Amino acid sequence: MSTVIKGGTIVTADRTYKSDVLVDGGKIIEIGENLSGDETLDASGCYVMPGGIDPHVHLEMPFMGTHSADNFEIGTRAGLAGGTTMVVDFCLPAPGQSMMEALAIWQQKSGAACSDYSYHMAVTWWGEQVFNEMQEVVDRGINTFKHFMAYKGALMVDDDEMFASFQRCAALGAMPLVHAENGDVVATMQQKLLAEGNNGPEAHSYSRPPEVEGEAANRAIMIADMAGVPLYIVHTSCEQAHEAIRRARQKGMRVYGEPLIQHLTLDDSEYSNPSWDHAAQRVMSPPFRNKQHQDSLWAGLQSGSLQVVATDHCAFTMEQKRFGVGDFTKIPNGTGGLEDRMPMLWSTGVRTGRLTMNEFVAVTSTNIAKILNMYPKKGAILEGADADIVVWDPNRSKTITAANQQSCVEYNVFEGREVVGLPRFTLTRGKVAIEESTVKTEPGHGEFVGREPNAPVGAALSKWKEITAPRKVERRPELMPAGV
Ligand code: DUC
Ligand code: ZN
Ligand code: ZN
Ligand code: ZN
């Protein structure tokens, strides 16, 4: 059965024009005037855009002694409700665990996904087994490897491990991702704060200042340069990390930065709220920053030095957050955002004039589709592309409230925010999943999206290997120190 999206204005990362879109068999089959199909969706007054792609979510993830609360079914439904038609989750082997074993667990968990999905693989430990399995992971369609520079004693990898893994990525045509925070410094600060009696959620943000992130971002960039590999820095939250990314890009390195909608719109005053619950709900890493950092992130999206807006969706219930009463280091780190990313970015970005509509599409969908090597299957309104489409009504509005959200947690960090701009329809591979506030999602409809590796880059990004390639220097015996 074919579907025609009629009377709307197509908005892509590079064009805005009026046209109908005909969809069949899960794909866009024609773009043109006066098209007809078996079913018609009225897009008058709306923008027809590539569905959003959230490249950073943690669904049902084992973490900090518990599991994030939203599973693949709930998380992908939340995404669709807000116009996001694809998520990329992190497959997280426990230290010592085989990547392939972890992947089998993730495949099981994602069976009920309502939208398409993909995975990044995390490198949580290092050894010959990991080195070998990385090839198999790439063969399974996963071309990105995540490295945690924080969470010491749990997920964190050291510099030698990171350097080895980055070189392996280069050889495989894969791209490393980093969570950039100096885990050693964080651990020291946490112990100091606790010893001084600072045990509330506000201390979480004191333990992870912007310097901790800026240092790690710089370090990861330098290591990536030495390995000759591009680098993607997740949840870029501060000027220090953004500055490192800008500088690297200016020098010709392929370094990408991903601000979160939370960091763009919520600031560190949230941690001064007199309610423990309110502050703990907003504990995530990196923590929220002040307005200067927010301005830096917006400027990065405008100028192109930052490319992607994600959520790091990692929702925990209040019962889970309260594990940390009396010790902020035990508050599970994470906030939700999947359902709210697109409406919040439209409201605070496009409606304020900070972003054009085309930039909105670029940072919510097209840029990441290209970076992750799945364009134009995803991230495009083009004939032959997957019919992952959001018909966006710029005049629909709502007040965000936990009472009406898809996520299963009982609060929302954007509670009370008025958003203008919401999906009229969200289509996942041609199927209408959302029609205004009616949810028609189908658990299990989602498919895994495999991503090809890039050509191995070797030293192409860096002159380092040529400059420092070991060359033994022959020295004249008469100029050797005596007695050698
Ligand atoms: N940060 C969070 O806040 N949650 C999940 C993992 C992370 O790095
Ligand atoms: Zn578990
Ligand atoms: Zn992270
Ligand atoms: Zn994350």
Side-chain angles (χ1 to χ4, degrees):
M1 193 190 70
S2 63
T3 303
V4 66
I5 302 168
K6 221 172 171 51
T9 300
I10 297 178
V11 179
T12 68
D14 47 23
R15 286 185 69 193
T16 304
Y17 61 107
K18 278 193 90 75
S19 205
D20 299 342
V21 178
L22 184 63
V23 167
D24 203 0
K27 303 258 184 212
I28 296 173
I29 58 166
E30 199 178 346
I31 298 168
E33 309 274 311
N34 304 314
L35 301 180
S36 50
D38 302 324
E39 173 194 32
T40 301
L41 304 179
D42 175 18
S44 53
C46 289
Y47 300 117
V48 179
M49 306 188 291
I53 299 168
D54 190 337
H56 189 157
V57 304
H58 301 282
L59 301 173
E60 207 185 332
M61 175 180 72
F63 186 55
M64 294 184 74
T66 183
H67 287 80
S68 57
D70 289 335
N71 60 22
F72 273 81
E73 179 181 340
I74 297 170
T76 51
R77 181 176 298 132
L80 290 164
T84 290
T85 53
M86 180 176 172
V87 300
V88 190
D89 197 87
F90 292 82
C91 179
L92 218 66
Q97 190 186 25
S98 138
M99 285 180 166
M100 300 320 287
E101 198 178 297
L103 185 55
I105 296 169
W106 253 255
Q107 285 166 335
Q108 181 103 38
K109 286 197 280 202
S110 48
C114 304
S115 75
D116 285 0
Y117 57 90
S118 191
Y119 313 120
H120 309 287
M121 179 60 72
V123 175
T124 54
W125 60 290
W126 190 249
E128 200 181 325
Q129 185 186 340
V130 175
F131 179 94
N132 291 329
E133 283 191 319
M134 284 173 79
Q135 174 74 66
E136 250 181 285
V137 169
V138 168
D139 293 343
R140 301 283 187 99
I142 299 169
N143 66 13
T144 37
F145 290 90
K146 167 82 171 282
H147 304 75
F148 289 91
M149 300 172 78
Y151 302 114
K152 187 175 177 169
L155 302 169
M156 180 168 126
V157 284
D158 294 329
D159 293 349
D160 53 347
E161 299 169 318
M162 215 162 61
F163 186 36
S165 176
F166 282 19
Q167 290 176 89
R168 182 68 171 143
C169 286
L172 294 172
M175 180 171 65
L177 278 54
V178 288
H179 169 129
E181 285 185 306
N182 184 317
D184 287 313
V185 173
V186 169
T188 305
M189 302 266 285
Q190 285 178 329
Q191 292 319 309
K192 180 169 183 289
L193 284 156
L194 284 174
E196 291 166 352
N198 265 308
N199 62 15
E202 67 281 10
H204 170 78
S205 80
Y206 307 151
S207 72
R208 312 178 97 98
E211 290 75 9
V212 152
E213 184 181 344
E215 184 281 326
N218 273 288
R219 179 157 38 102
I221 287 169
M222 295 300 157
I223 292 174
D225 192 32
M226 289 194 285
V229 75
L231 179 69
Y232 185 96
I233 301 184
V234 304
H235 49 47
T236 306
S237 76
C238 64
E239 162 58 14
Q240 285 86 335
H242 178 199
E243 182 191 22
I245 294 167
R246 279 198 309 268
R247 195 183 323 119
R249 290 175 66 84
Q250 201 171 19
K251 287 167 64 181
M253 297 168 62
R254 290 188 182 90
V255 178
Y256 306 105
E258 171 206 81
L260 307 181
I261 189 63
Q262 295 93 317
H263 288 120
L264 288 163
T265 59
L266 300 167
D267 67 45
D268 57 358
S269 65
E270 301 283 350
Y271 301 118
S272 309
N273 191 291
S275 153
W276 188 96
D277 282 357
H278 180 103
Q281 286 161 0
R282 286 144 182 90
V283 163
M284 64 174 300
S285 296
F288 299 159
R289 308 298 194 189
N290 68 30
K291 302 262 187 245
Q292 278 81 32
H293 294 291
Q294 293 186 316
D295 282 347
S296 169
L297 300 181
W298 281 108
L301 292 174
Q302 289 168 351
S303 68
S305 53
L306 300 173
Q307 297 75 32
V308 177
V309 177
T311 64
D312 199 1
H313 186 97
C314 190
F316 292 102
T317 63
M318 270 328 299
E319 190 192 344
Q320 293 175 308
K321 287 284 184 180
R322 287 184 188 145
F323 294 165
V325 173
D327 180 351
F328 71 89
T329 67
K330 299 197 163 58
I331 302 171
N333 288 197
T335 63
L338 247 171
E339 186 171 354
D340 308 314
R341 178 181 68 130
M342 307 259 290
M344 279 294 293
L345 189 70
W346 185 272
S347 298
T348 60
V350 178
R351 283 177 58 83
T352 59
R354 280 165 162 155
L355 297 178
T356 67
M357 294 195 294
N358 310 91
E359 287 165 347
F360 175 85
V361 173
V363 301
T364 57
S365 181
T366 306
N367 288 353
I368 194 64
K370 290 178 181 174
I371 292 168
L372 296 183
N373 220 8
M374 53 189 187
Y375 183 88
K377 174 181 168 66
K378 301 294 185 188
I381 302 286
L382 286 174
E383 288 172 14
D386 281 0
D388 279 4
I389 299 172
V390 60
V391 177
W392 191 260
D393 184 342
N395 296 315
R396 259 192 91 210
S397 65
K398 72 170 185 185
T399 303
I400 294 176
T401 175
N404 295 333
Q405 73 185 0
Q406 298 299 327
S407 167
C408 72
V409 308
E410 60 276 67
Y411 60 92
N412 184 309
V413 295
F414 302 114
E415 183 72 32
R417 289 279 190 130
E418 171 87 5
V419 286
V420 183
L422 284 167
R424 180 181 292 175
F425 302 103
T426 310
L427 285 77
T428 157
R429 269 183 296 104
K431 239 202 98 334
V432 176
I434 300 294
E435 180 168 354
E436 300 214 319
S437 34
T438 309
V439 177
K440 305 173 166 183
T441 49
E442 250 180 47
H445 167 81
E447 287 178 359
F448 173 74
V449 178
R451 300 176 286 112
E452 291 291 309
N454 299 294
V457 284
L461 292 175
S462 172
K463 292 283 168 233
W464 173 81
K465 282 190 180 163
E466 293 152 45
I467 295 165
T468 60
R471 259 176 292 116
K472 191 161 164 55
V473 176
E474 292 305 328
R475 295 216 154 72
R476 281 158 48 193
E478 68 274 25
L479 296 179
M480 289 298 285
V484 176

